[in-house]
Amino acid sequence: QVQLVESGGGLLQAGGSLGLSCAASGGSSAMGWFRQPPGKEREFVAAIGSDGSTVYVRSVKGRFTISRDIAKNTVYLQMNSLKPEDTAVYYCAAGTVLADLPTDYDYWGQGTQVTVSS
């Protein structure tokens, strides 16, 4: 079983930048980032496949960048121009295929809090 550990969350003001990292205990074909705002369901943020293909939710495209280091079993999410609506617990996930649904992923991290103030 793959274990995932997120890091890099924190508190910052709108317009700032923050980088998240997720270290996995083993390799996965696809890795993604999801977030769960207070009182809401988990929502897709970004994902990256084994070939480097990426997909983003429209609300973060152009601001967030997902990348991975396959050799290190690590996925990153660079978040720029952060907005208050980006406030959420961010989770990384690992699975077999590039997808945007939580049910398509097999393993999940504990999550890291990102809070953006206005």
Side-chain angles (χ1 to χ4, degrees):
Q1 184 170 334
V2 177
Q3 294 180 329
L4 305 173
V5 180
E6 302 98 336
S7 62
L11 282 67
L12 71 164
Q13 291 183 303
S17 298
L18 197 64
L20 304 181
S21 178
C22 175
S25 62
S28 298
S29 296
M31 300 190 75
W33 288 95
F34 291 77
R35 65 187 181 187
Q36 186 166 17
K40 297 183 178 181
E41 298 180 344
R42 281 180 298 171
E43 61 183 16
F44 174 76
V45 177
I48 185 166
S50 60
D51 63 349
S53 298
T54 60
V55 61
Y56 300 87
V57 68
R58 286 188 298 161
S59 61
V60 309
K61 193 170 185 178
R63 298 189 297 122
F64 292 10
T65 302
I66 188 171
S67 61
R68 70 187 299 175
D69 187 328
I70 295 178
K72 296 181 179 180
N73 295 326
T74 302
V75 64
Y76 308 92
L77 185 67
Q78 179 62 45
M79 304 183 292
N80 299 325
S81 301
L82 283 161
K83 305 174 181 179
E85 49 263 47
D86 294 318
T87 294
V89 176
Y90 283 71
Y91 299 90
C92 66
T96 304
V97 299
L98 184 66
D100 61 358
L101 294 175
T103 52
D104 289 324
Y105 292 85
D106 303 307
Y107 307 103
W108 295 84
Q110 288 289 111
T112 185
Q113 177 70 49
V114 174
T115 302
V116 184
S117 62
S118 60

